[in-house]
Amino acid sequence: MRQFQPGGRMERGSGATFKDLKKSASVGRLFKLIWKLYKGRIAAVLLCIVISSVTSVASALFTRNLIDDYILPMLDSPAISGLFGDVGVGPDYGPLAFAILRLSAVLLAGIIAGYLSSMLMIKVGQGTMLRLRRDMFQHMEKLPLRYFDSHSHGDVMSTFTNDVDTLRQVIGSTVPNLFSAMITLCATFVSMIALSIPLTIVTMGIAAIMFYATRKLGSLSKVYFKQRQENLGAVNGFIEEMVSGQKVVKVYCHEKQAMEQFAELNEKLRKSVFNANKITSIVMPVNHNLGNFGYVLLAVIGALIAIKGLDGAFFRGLDGTMLTLGTLVSFLTLQRNFTRPISQISNEINSLVMASAGSDRVYAMLDEIAQEDKGDVTLESNGKGSWQWKDGEKKVPLEGLVSLQDVDFGYVPEKQVLYDITLTAYPGQKIAFVGGTGAGKTTITNLINRFYEIQDGTILYDGFPVSGISLDSLRRSLGTVLQETHLFSGTVMENIRYGRLDATDEECKAAARLVCADQFIRRLPLGYETMLNADGSNLSQGERQLLAIARAAVADPPVLILDEATSSIDTRTEKLIQKGMDSLMKGRTSFVIAHRLSTVRNADYIMVMDKGRIIERGKHEELLALKGKYYELYTGNEIS
C-alpha cells in the first residue's frame, strides 16, 4: 500500500526542544528567505511586538501607582462634621483621571501595534507561501521523470499543500507569538526584580516546576504522536487507493472487505490520537493549577512581608521602597504575565519543531537535482515553412536523422535494462519496435526524448548529440503520443491546441479530421467546445487516445514517436485512422511502438526486442522468412 505522509500541522506537546530544532537546517533556510524578502516588514513587526509587550507590562506596573498613589490617599482623605454626621471633604479625582488617560494612550498604542504586527505577518506569511509554491512548481517542472517514478503523486501534492500550509502557520502565528512571549518574559522579569527580589525568587522556582512538568508530560506523548502520524498516513493512503480504484472494488464486490480494512486502520488512528491527546490535554490544566498555586503562595508571602514590615535591602525594591499593598497587587499581576508565556513558549517551540518536518519536505523537493540542460543547439524556423538547427553561427537544416550507437541504460545503476542498442533512422523512415512486455521498447523512445540520461553510448540527432540540444528545442521537434493518455480540464479544442498553443481553430479541426477524431467530436453535446472532466473521464479510452493523436498532429513535428498510439482503438476505427496516421507520418521520421503487429507491416524497419536487446531487425517479409521471434509474435506459433 502506498503510504501517504501528510504534512499538516502537528499537534503540540510532543516533547520538542531547541536541540531538536537545531537539527533542521531547513528552518534556518526558511527564516533567511523571509528576512531576504521582507526585511522592512519584519523589522516593523519586531518593533510592534516590543511595543505591545511593553505596554502589557506597563499596565501591570500602573496597578502599583493606582493603589499607592491614588486609592489609598483617597481613603485617608480628612472628614468634616455635618448635620447628618461626618462628611468627606471630597477626593480630587483629577490626577487619577489624568493618569488613567495616560495609561489609556499607552494601551491604545499597544492595541494598534498588535493589530499592525498581525496584519504585517499575514502579508509576510502569504507572500512567503506564494514564493515557495512558485519556486517549487518551477523547480518541479525541471525535475527528471526519475523523481516522479520514486514519489507518489499524493506525496508530491501533500508537499505543495499540507507542508507549505504548515509553514504558513509557523510564520503567521508561531514565530510572532514566540518572540512576543520572550519579550514579555524579559520585560516582566526585569519589572519583578525592580519591585521585589524575594517574590521574584519564589516566582522563578514556580516557573521552573511548570517548565519541568511541561517537558515531562510532553515527552510521554512523543511516542504516541509518532504512531499518530504513521497511522494517519496509512488511513490517507488507503483512502487514496480506494477512491482511485473504485471501479475495481465494485467489479470484484470488494466493498465489505474495504470497509472492514478501513475500520481497522481508522481504529488504530483513533487509539493513537486518543493516547497522544490524553497526555497533551493534561499539560495546560497542570500549568494552570501550578500558576494558581504560585499566585496564592506569592500573595501569602507578600502579605507577610508587608504586614510584618520586613525591612532591609533584600526586602526592598530597586527604588529603595518597602513592599506595599500596591506593589504586591502589581507583582501578582506580573506573575500572571510571567507564567503564561512559559507555557506559550513551550507550546510554540513544539509547533515550530513539528513544522520543521514540513520545511524539510519542502526543501527536500527544492534540493532535488534538476535535469541538466547544457545544450546550446536550438531550433528555429528558416522562414520557409521548415525548421533548422542553430549552433552558434552555424545553421543546419532539420532532416530527422536519428542514430543510437552502443546505448546502454538502466533506471537504477544496479539494474540495466538496455544493452548495446544500435540503430539509425534516416529522414522519412518509419522504425517500428515490437516485443514482449518489458522488452525495452518504450525506454528507447524515452531516451530519444531525454526523459532519462543514458549511461553509455551516444544518441545523435542530425549529427548533434541530443545532450547538446536544448531540451525545449529537442522536444519541440518531437511529436509524442504516450502510452498513457492524459487530458486536461478544459474544452476539446483547448486539449488539441495543447500540442501547439498558437494553432488556429481551423488547424485544430484539420488535425482532428486527419486522425478521424472529428466525427466523434461533432457528436459531443457542444462539439469542440465540450468541457472535459479531469483526465477526460467523460470520454471513452479510445476517444481520449484519438484526441492525444490529434494533439500530436496539430504540433506538426518533424519526428514522430507513437507509443502504442492505437492500443485503445477498436479494429474498425484503427483501419480508418491508419490512413490518417500514414499521411501524418509521410515525410517524417517516425518511431512506432506497436501493440498490434498488423499496424507495422509497412514499416521500413522493424526492431524485434527481447530482454533489452535488439535480437532481429528488417522488413516484415524478411523477418517472417527468418522464422524467429517476430514470426512467433506475428503468427502465434512457437518455433521449437
Side-chain angles (χ1 to χ4, degrees), residues 32 204 225 236 323 339 351 364 385 399 436 470 480 638:
K32 287 180 181 178
M204 295 303 294
F225 274 104
N236 284 329
L323 183 66
T339 55
S351 178
E399 297 180 347
S470 71
T480 305
E638 185 173 352

Side-chain angles (χ1 to χ4, degrees), residues 257-277:
Q257 293 86 338
M259 287 187 289
E260 290 175 352
Q261 192 173 355
F262 175 77
E264 181 181 348
L265 293 172
N266 205 29
E267 177 62 18
K268 289 182 179 179
L269 175 61
R270 185 198 67 80
K271 288 182 178 179
S272 60
V273 172
F274 174 78
N275 290 329
N277 290 340

Side-chain angles (χ1 to χ4, degrees), residues 242-429:
M242 291 301 105
V243 170
S244 60
Q246 268 300 298
K247 288 184 179 179
V248 178
V249 172
K250 294 184 181 298
V251 164
Y252 290 98
C253 303
H254 199 68
E255 292 92 342
K256 183 178 179 182
Q257 293 86 338
M259 287 187 289
E260 290 175 352
Q261 192 173 355
F262 175 77
E264 181 181 348
L265 293 172
N266 205 29
E267 177 62 18
K268 289 182 179 179
L269 175 61
R270 185 198 67 80
K271 288 182 178 179
S272 60
V273 172
F274 174 78
N275 290 329
N277 290 340
K278 178 176 64 176
I279 297 176
T280 304
S281 61
I282 299 174
V283 175
M284 291 307 293
V286 168
N287 280 339
H288 182 71
N289 286 299
L290 284 174
N292 289 338
F293 172 75
Y295 188 88
V296 174
L297 183 62
L298 283 173
V300 173
I301 295 175
L304 290 175
I305 294 175
I307 292 172
K308 291 184 178 294
L310 297 179
D311 203 354
F314 180 72
F315 294 101
R316 290 178 178 271
L318 293 182
D319 58 358
T321 58
M322 294 180 60
L323 183 66
T324 62
L325 177 60
T327 303
L328 178 59
V329 173
S330 181
F331 194 96
L332 291 174
T333 304
L334 289 173
Q335 187 265 353
R336 290 290 195 194
N337 288 347
F338 189 79
T339 55
R340 191 186 311 114
I342 292 177
S343 298
Q344 188 178 10
I345 287 175
S346 178
N347 286 336
E348 297 299 354
I349 290 175
N350 283 322
S351 178
L352 190 61
V353 172
M354 293 305 167
S356 70
S359 65
D360 287 343
R361 285 165 56 86
V362 168
Y363 280 102
M365 172 183 280
L366 290 173
D367 290 339
E368 284 287 337
I369 299 176
Q371 186 173 10
E372 291 187 0
D373 186 9
K374 297 181 179 179
D376 50 11
V377 179
T378 57
L379 185 68
E380 63 178 21
S381 173
N382 63 3
K384 300 177 182 179
S386 56
W387 300 90
Q388 63 186 9
W389 300 111
K390 182 179 179 182
D391 183 11
E393 297 300 323
K394 180 182 177 183
K395 296 182 178 180
V396 178
L398 194 160
E399 297 180 347
L401 174 63
V402 180
S403 176
L404 285 77
Q405 301 173 2
D406 304 319
V407 172
D408 294 333
F409 173 75
Y411 291 101
V412 291
E414 60 273 13
K415 187 177 180 182
Q416 190 170 339
V417 296
L418 291 180
Y419 302 87
D420 193 28
I421 300 298
T422 299
L423 64 91
T424 300
Y426 291 96
Q429 282 191 336

Side-chain angles (χ1 to χ4, degrees), residues 399-401 425-430 558 585-590 604:
E399 297 180 347
L401 174 63
Y426 291 96
Q429 282 191 336
K430 177 180 177 181
M585 289 185 286
K586 187 176 182 180
R588 292 180 171 90
T589 306
S590 304
D604 294 289

